[in-house]
Amino acid sequence: MEKIVSLCKRRGFIFPSSEIYGGLASAWDYGPLGAELKRNVKSAWWSTVVHQRDDMVGLDASILMHPRTWEASGHVSSFSDPFVQCPSCQRHFRLDKVWDEIESSPWVVSLREAMSVDADSSYLLHWARTEGKKLAPNLSLVKEPEVTLSWIADSLSAFGQHKVNFKDFLSRLAARQSGIAQTPCPQCGAILPEEGVAANLMLKTFLGPVEQTAEKVYLRPETAQGIFVNFKSVLDATHRRLPFGIAQIGKAFRNEVTTKNFIFRMREFEQMEIEYFTTKQDAEDCHRRWIEDRLNWYLNMGVRKENLRVRPHAKDELAHYAAACTDIEYNFPFGWSELEGIANRTDYDLKQHAKFSGQDLQYQDLTTGAKFYPYVIEPSGGVDRATLAFLVDAYHEEIVKDRTRVVLRFSKELAPVKAAVLPLLKKNDGIVTLAKRIKNDLQKEFACVYDDTAAIGKLYRRQDEVGTFYCVTVDVESLEDGQVTVRDRDTMAQERISVDRLKEYLREKLAL
Ligand code: ATP
């Protein structure tokens, strides 16, 4: 992950937001290449789910909506992630994610290493006095090692024989009294409260110039509700019949308790959401088809199969109105995590909006005349999470001629730059003129760059590192034979192609 973050900053994919002022937690800006990549992600999605289907239309609703929307959707009353605050270091942690954070915290990683070498009490005492003191100063084991160790002696010997679960073991290291397991703070090791506090995740703002009298509105926490409130208008305007869906891409805002893992969890992010309206009878089948379609989309975008999995939610994970939900997960460097959720939301949303607005939002079957609320299948993904998965999946390191070559193997659709035009000699006017002419011609069809700021070997490496599909090199011979060298990013094979045929060649190869 560190390599990806550093590459993104160095090469202009993603920067920390307002960095000159020290940055803002959880906010990131997309640089020149990142902006291209993200646009490609969105247009590939739009093309697949809107343009290439007969049963979908698009929408672009506003971020600010009538406040009643969020009462109807349930966000005002229950959109919260209970969190705990550490009494010592004051950090906040999401209650349902706190053990994930503990498991990956620096002090637990260090302790795990120490325990794998030797699991006896003298070794633990040594760890507590050295690494533990630095990494988890408030852990009971660190503050009172003799006391803690005296009553966990039994579990320690069992730990050596792998009978003790590591989570139980950590809970005991955090405890002050024998036998009472506690949750340690991932940051400093102090005992965390057992009960969480619920805080609404919606960001608020004021409409109107005078704050005291202005209307309080929310920055939408999801794009979905914009689709539901427009259901009737879309139906009337397009004369669609069931089943059909509405797709939307747009910003969403959540006051997340903890934000980490780069662009995986942000407070301002973009969603790509579909609400697909169907009958109750067809909903289950339709849900299955969407799971398949969405999984295939990630595969078609070049993501390796072994890094994707689908995870159906257990009954107790489901929202009270949902009949089913399945997540598509990606194997991020920090573990398997949700990329997209595909839910069967039943007819809950339209019914709620009908109730709160007093409008009739039912659908009428023209043959039977029957009126009813359609069921809704919702594939809901994040643009930023998808972009992160594409970056991680594309990242490759290989040794070529004793040197490490970093290459982003983006798919053709996603690569921010399709071709780089490189003059072999930047002081040769003939070469430069021809190279610029070629770039000028290609850029009408492909995203291209021109670069003459280094020697050719270095220029190739730079383009590999950002995933440019083809490098087109203009040399002295090009001036005589009208041919250029085209180098393939993945195979590094080079071919001489006539300048007249170059556009057609790239068109075929990139099949855009
Ligand atoms: P999580 O459990 O990770 O908080 P969620 O289940 O609350 O996610 P949904 O409400 O289902 O997420 O949102 C749909 C999609 O929007 C997610 O699959 C994810 O891709 C994206 N998303 C949600 N929250 C964030 C965020 N804070 N930052 C970036 N993307 C997000």
Side-chain angles (χ1 to χ4, degrees):
M1 199 60 185
E2 274 164 28
K3 283 183 179 175
I4 303 271
V5 176
S6 134
L7 174 82
C8 283
K9 164 99 169 78
R10 193 160 38 81
R11 299 308 314 274
F13 280 97
I14 299 163
F15 307 128
S17 163
S18 32
E19 199 182 8
I20 58 167
Y21 293 105
L24 177 71
S26 91
W28 298 90
D29 297 340
Y30 287 80
L33 286 173
E36 294 290 339
L37 175 61
K38 196 174 167 196
R39 278 171 68 100
N40 291 347
V41 171
K42 291 192 277 186
S43 55
W45 183 86
W46 192 269
S47 164
T48 308
V49 307
V50 181
H51 293 164
Q52 294 174 42
R53 296 181 62 120
D54 302 323
D55 54 354
M56 293 284 303
V57 291
L59 182 80
D60 191 353
S62 70
I63 288 172
L64 302 175
M65 300 176 71
H66 193 289
R68 291 277 281 168
T69 309
W70 307 110
E71 289 172 33
S73 67
H75 283 83
V76 171
S77 58
S78 61
F79 189 54
S80 60
D81 285 329
F83 69 91
V84 284
Q85 183 173 21
C86 172
S88 293
C89 69
Q90 313 299 325
R91 289 274 296 259
H92 299 102
F93 303 96
R94 236 170 92 168
L95 200 58
D96 62 334
K97 301 269 186 224
V98 71
W99 273 102
D100 293 344
E101 299 226 17
I102 293 169
E103 302 258 335
S104 61
S105 72
W107 69 265
V108 174
V109 172
S110 149
L111 182 64
R112 201 189 278 276
E113 263 168 35
M115 301 290 293
S116 67
V117 178
D118 211 335
D120 74 6
S121 57
S122 61
Y123 208 87
L124 259 193
L125 191 61
H126 173 73
W127 179 86
R129 288 183 174 148
T130 53
E131 287 300 290
K133 209 166 192 165
K134 279 187 266 165
L135 300 172
N138 297 320
L139 186 69
S140 294
L141 172 74
V142 173
K143 285 168 97 171
E144 301 170 299
E146 284 84 3
V147 180
T148 311
L149 285 171
S150 68
W151 57 261
I152 62 159
D154 282 353
S155 36
L156 246 180
S157 60
F159 187 87
Q161 296 150 33
H162 304 289
K163 282 192 201 141
V164 170
N165 170 307
F166 197 55
K167 181 174 167 183
D168 291 347
F169 185 67
L170 290 174
S171 315
R172 291 185 194 193
L173 295 186
R176 283 209 193 96
Q177 280 170 12
S178 163
I180 302 177
Q182 302 280 5
T183 306
C185 169
Q187 183 71 15
C188 71
I191 297 172
L192 290 180
E194 288 303 311
E195 296 287 315
V197 179
N200 198 289
L201 296 182
M202 282 198 292
L203 276 92
K204 297 186 194 83
T205 190
F206 302 95
L207 275 193
V210 183
E211 196 175 309
Q212 285 75 10
T213 54
E215 188 171 19
K216 196 171 71 189
V217 292
Y218 299 101
L219 302 184
R220 66 179 175 199
E222 62 175 29
T223 58
Q225 300 305 324
I227 300 182
F228 294 126
V229 300
N230 279 296
F231 170 71
K232 201 77 182 163
S233 304
V234 172
L235 200 59
D236 292 345
T238 62
H239 308 288
R240 290 272 161 175
R241 310 311 307 159
L242 292 188
F244 78 96
I246 306 177
Q248 173 167 225
I249 298 178
K251 289 265 180 173
F253 302 81
R254 294 182 188 180
N255 215 346
E256 297 278 4
V257 178
T258 45
T259 54
K260 55 179 211 167
N261 293 330
F262 199 28
I263 54 170
F264 179 82
R265 187 177 302 287
M266 302 193 285
R267 295 200 170 103
E268 173 185 340
F269 56 98
E270 251 180 303
Q271 288 188 312
M272 314 185 273
E273 291 196 300
I274 295 164
E275 305 303 329
Y276 194 81
F277 303 94
T278 186
T279 57
K280 183 177 179 181
Q281 295 70 25
D282 190 38
E284 211 177 304
D285 257 8
C286 199
H287 186 222
R288 216 192 41 248
R289 286 196 299 273
W290 270 112
I291 296 169
E292 243 174 69
D293 286 359
R294 296 302 306 138
L295 182 66
N296 283 335
W297 183 74
Y298 290 102
L299 293 169
N300 290 340
M301 289 300 110
V303 176
R304 280 168 283 172
K305 203 171 177 183
E306 64 270 25
N307 288 336
L308 288 167
R309 73 177 185 195
V310 289
R311 189 184 69 81
H313 283 207
K315 279 264 173 299
D316 61 356
E317 278 182 274
L318 292 177
H320 66 90
Y321 49 78
C325 185
T326 290
D327 285 347
I328 296 180
E329 296 189 334
Y330 181 76
N331 190 9
F332 286 100
F334 43 86
W336 287 98
S337 304
E338 175 180 334
L339 200 50
E340 172 160 347
I342 301 144
N344 175 347
R345 298 179 65 99
T346 66
D347 54 3
Y348 176 79
D349 305 274
L350 287 177
K351 272 187 174 161
Q352 281 294 100
H353 286 299
K355 188 165 134 197
F356 278 72
S357 67
Q359 305 279 321
D360 181 7
L361 301 182
Q362 291 183 94
Y363 172 87
Q364 186 165 30
D365 186 315
L366 293 183
T367 350
T368 62
K371 283 179 110 185
F372 60 94
Y373 289 99
Y375 262 46
V376 173
I377 306 301
E378 179 191 76
S380 167
V383 178
D384 312 273
R385 274 193 201 176
T387 303
L388 181 59
F390 295 142
L391 273 162
V392 169
D393 215 76
Y395 186 90
H396 283 77
E397 277 180 14
E398 56 194 35
I399 303 293
V400 178
K401 293 187 189 145
D402 297 334
R403 284 188 53 201
T404 305
R405 175 172 101 116
V406 172
V407 51
L408 286 182
R409 294 194 199 278
F410 287 128
S411 68
K412 289 167 189 167
E413 290 86 347
L414 298 182
V417 181
K418 312 295 181 215
V421 184
L422 315 170
L424 194 65
L425 302 169
K426 70 171 177 183
K427 292 203 172 120
N428 181 316
D429 286 346
I431 291 181
V432 169
T433 310
L434 178 59
K436 286 192 172 161
R437 183 165 68 74
I438 292 174
K439 196 252 173 180
N440 241 310
D441 186 36
L442 293 182
Q443 72 190 8
K444 297 189 185 94
E445 229 169 290
F446 312 102
C448 291
V449 294
Y450 172 90
D451 194 1
D452 64 4
T453 56
I456 194 70
K458 199 160 188 185
L459 291 180
Y460 282 156
R461 300 268 167 163
R462 275 192 204 158
Q463 295 304 327
D464 289 343
E465 206 182 32
V466 300
T468 302
F469 243 90
Y470 291 103
C471 286
V472 175
T473 306
V474 183
D475 53 27
V476 181
E477 264 174 58
S478 310
L479 302 178
E480 285 150 25
D481 64 6
Q483 293 192 336
V484 286
T485 303
V486 179
R487 173 184 176 273
D488 181 292
R489 177 196 70 194
D490 295 334
T491 61
M492 291 187 289
Q494 304 192 359
E495 241 185 294
R496 291 291 282 181
I497 303 290
S498 124
V499 174
D500 303 337
R501 235 179 49 77
L502 184 61
K503 214 185 212 172
E504 196 187 314
Y505 173 89
L506 292 178
R507 215 180 272 146
E508 268 167 31
K509 289 279 185 185
L510 291 164
L512 290 171

